[in-house]
């Protein structure tokens, strides 16, 4: 196989970018400059779930694996794009919605949930994305899937403040099964080729509950 196109599925990390309500904002500050120090070095302060990122089990599961402990194989593989762009604001994606994709789901694939909400990134409407209900999350796990990605802020409903009314059930089901979650994917419309191969490899942050990702999709074609 040879690589054709490489599609960037990542958000640009920058100060002022949209983050989950209550998460730390992104701040940049020069630590050294060419003019004064002979080199450019950037000081960066941000949360572990800034921009396009992955959640490790430790994000919600006591004693769960941290991001640096996870098998890198969880973050790479062929993608099955689950197209739910017909869903409205804060609408649930159910196990029934997953039915047409059931025979394509397995431990070998990354399930990429396409809500279309990436179009609202940077606006208040981005917080009102569709989400996976517990039945849908459970069906993915029962099918063998261990990596779930989404083009929205969260696989669960986003709450502006206070405790989550349902306790983040999709996160708990997926992460509780030893799986991982990638959020804030972008540019899914560019996946107009069959069988994209996706990489969601995170920064190997020690003891972290999650980490930013440079997510990409590869078009693999026959040849050498």
């Amino acid at each position: 196989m040879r690589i054709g196109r490489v599609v960037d599925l990542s958000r640009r990390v920058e100060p002022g970018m949209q983050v989950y309500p209550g998460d730390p904002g992104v701040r940049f500050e020069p630590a050294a400059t060419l003019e004064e120090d002979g080199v450019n070095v950037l000081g960066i302060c941000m949360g572990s779930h800034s921009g396009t990122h992955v959640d490790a089990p430790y994000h919600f599961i006591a004693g769960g694996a941290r991001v640096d402990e996870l098998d890198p194989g969880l973050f790479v593989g062929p993608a099955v794009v689950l197209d739910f762009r017909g869903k409205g604001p804060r609408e649930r994606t159910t196990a029934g919605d997953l039915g047409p994709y059931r025979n394509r789901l397995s431990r070998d694939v990354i399930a990429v949930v396409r809500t279309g909400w990436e179009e609202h990134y940077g606006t208040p409407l981005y917080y009102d994305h569709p989400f996976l209900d517990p039945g849908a999350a459970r069906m993915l796990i029962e099918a063998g899937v261990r990596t779930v990605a989404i083009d929205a802020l969260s696989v669960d409903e986003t709450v502006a403040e206070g405790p989550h009314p349902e306790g983040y059930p999709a996160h708990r089901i997926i992460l509780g099964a030893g799986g991982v979650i990638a959020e804030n994917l972008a540019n899914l419309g560019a996946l107009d080729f069959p069988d994209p191969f996706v990489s969601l490899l995170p920064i190997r942050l020690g003891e972290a509950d999650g980490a930013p990702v440079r997510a990409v999709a590869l078009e693999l074609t026959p040849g050498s």
Side-chain angles (χ1 to χ4, degrees), residues 101-113:
Y101 301 98
R102 179 63 179 81
N103 64 353
R104 299 177 58 199
L105 298 173
S106 71
R107 183 175 287 273
D108 299 324
V109 305
I110 293 175
V112 178
V113 180

Side-chain angles (χ1 to χ4, degrees), residues 119-134:
E119 299 175 3
H120 304 298
Y121 177 76
T123 75
L125 189 57
Y126 192 60
Y127 298 113
D128 297 332
H129 57 86
F131 59 95
L132 298 179
D133 80 354

Side-chain angles (χ1 to χ4, degrees), residues 7 37 48 67 113 203:
V7 177
D37 308 288
S48 54
V67 73
V113 180
I203 300 171

Side-chain angles (χ1 to χ4, degrees), residues 47-119:
S48 54
H49 301 268
S50 300
T52 306
H53 66 275
V54 296
D55 299 348
Y58 184 62
H59 186 37
F60 274 95
I61 308 301
R66 275 73 160 175
V67 73
D68 63 307
E69 300 169 332
L70 291 167
D71 178 357
L74 282 169
F75 304 110
V76 294
V80 174
V81 180
L82 314 176
D83 193 343
F84 300 125
R85 284 176 291 167
K87 295 287 182 179
R90 297 190 180 273
E91 187 174 352
R92 296 172 179 267
T93 297
T94 67
D97 295 322
L98 292 173
Y101 301 98
R102 179 63 179 81
N103 64 353
R104 299 177 58 199
L105 298 173
S106 71
R107 183 175 287 273
D108 299 324
V109 305
I110 293 175
V112 178
V113 180
R114 187 180 183 191
T115 69
W117 238 249
E118 63 173 279
E119 299 175 3

